[in-house]
Amino acid sequence: MSPRSREQFEEIRENRRKQIMDTALELFASEGYSHCSIAMLAGRAGISKGLMYNYFESKEALLMALINDGSEDILNLMDPNHDGVLSPDEAEHFIRTTFQTIRTNTKFWILFLSVVLQPKVREFLNGQPFRTILERLEPMLFSYFKAQGFEDPELEMLTLSALIEGFAMMLVYFHPHGILPAATMDKYEERVIRMFVPKQKNP
C-alpha cells in the first residue's frame, strides 16, 4: 500500500474537521452549548479527546469555527466575485440563492439558530462575529440601493433583512411539517426580488 500524499492527508483532515463540526452543531442544539464538554463532543464524534484538541483547542474555538463558516457562506452569497460592489445580477442571485439555501438546508438552519440564540452563546459572542458581517455588508448594500435610485437605502436594507430572516425563522419554527406550499414560497421569493431588483430585470 503506497503512502498517502499530502493532498490526501489534507482531505482526510478536512473531512474529520467537518465531521466534528457537524457533530458539535447537533450536540450544541440538542443538549445546550453550556452543558457540552470537549469529552462529550469527542465521544459523540467517535474520536479521542486528545485527537479532538488537534483540531480545536477549546469548545469556544469550535463554536467560533461554526459561526465563522456560516458567516463566510453568507458573505460569499452576497459578493461572489469579492469586488465589494453589488450589481443587480448579484442582488438577484443573492436573494434566490439565500431562499434556496434556507429551503433545502432547513435542518442546518434549525440547528444553527437554536445554537446562536442560546443565552450562554449570545453572552459569549457579545454581538461578534455578526457585527463584523454587518460592517462588511452594510456599505455594499447601501451603495447598491443608492445606485438603483431608492430614496431611503437604510430602510431598504432593514426591509430586505427582515423579509429574509422572517422567512427563515418561519420555516425553522414550523419544521418539519411546513405551512406553505412550494408554489407560495416561489411567489414570495419573486415578490422580494421585484421589490429590490430593478424592474428591467424582472419584466
Side-chain angles (χ1 to χ4, degrees):
M1 185 175 180
S2 59
R4 292 190 178 102
S5 66
R6 180 177 179 180
E7 290 75 15
Q8 288 173 318
F9 274 115
E10 288 298 325
E11 182 180 358
I12 292 171
R13 182 173 177 81
E14 183 58 32
N15 288 339
R16 178 58 59 84
R17 181 178 182 273
K18 185 179 186 307
Q19 175 197 353
I20 293 172
M21 292 176 67
D22 288 345
T23 299
L25 188 60
E26 294 208 25
L27 201 58
F28 287 161
S30 62
E31 302 296 331
Y33 171 77
S34 60
H35 294 109
C36 292
S37 65
I38 286 291
M40 288 174 61
L41 291 164
R44 184 68 64 89
I47 62 175
S48 69
K49 186 176 177 180
L51 182 58
M52 185 81 165
Y53 282 115
N54 285 337
Y55 289 88
F56 300 99
E57 64 182 18
S58 64
K59 183 176 74 171
E60 292 76 15
L62 178 50
L63 173 65
M64 289 306 298
L66 287 168
I67 302 297
N68 287 329
D69 276 18
S71 303
E72 282 302 314
D73 288 344
I74 295 171
L75 291 168
N76 288 334
L77 286 178
M78 175 66 76
D79 187 22
N81 62 358
H82 303 286
D83 66 352
V85 178
L86 185 64
S87 68
D89 284 336
E90 289 174 333
E92 181 172 340
H93 172 78
F94 169 71
I95 294 170
R96 289 194 186 282
T97 307
T98 299
F99 279 125
Q100 180 184 8
T101 298
I102 294 170
R103 291 168 65 176
T104 59
N105 201 12
T106 307
K107 180 184 177 183
F108 168 81
W109 290 105
I110 290 172
L111 297 175
F112 187 81
L113 290 173
S114 69
V115 170
V116 298
L117 294 178
Q118 291 175 26
K120 289 293 184 181
V121 175
R122 293 182 62 190
E123 179 183 348
F124 169 71
L125 294 175
N126 192 29
Q128 294 290 351
F130 301 107
R131 190 178 297 116
T132 302
I133 296 175
L134 290 176
E135 289 172 353
R136 293 173 62 180
L137 291 183
E138 282 184 353
M140 190 161 38
L141 282 170
F142 186 90
S143 297
Y144 168 77
F145 286 123
K146 185 176 181 180
Q148 301 308 316
F150 288 88
E151 293 183 5
D152 192 338
E154 290 185 353
L155 178 61
E156 302 305 328
M157 289 192 297
L158 176 63
T159 305
L160 175 59
S161 176
L163 288 171
I164 292 176
E165 291 172 9
F167 181 81
M169 290 296 294
M170 180 180 63
L171 291 187
V172 166
Y173 182 79
F174 288 100
H175 182 80
H177 306 293
I179 59 170
L180 294 175
T184 302
M185 291 191 283
D186 290 341
K187 290 178 182 178
Y188 182 84
E189 178 182 317
E190 293 301 327
R191 171 68 64 84
V192 174
I193 290 172
R194 288 199 302 271
M195 291 174 65
F196 299 107
V197 180
K199 290 183 179 180
Q200 60 267 25
K201 290 290 299 172
N202 300 282

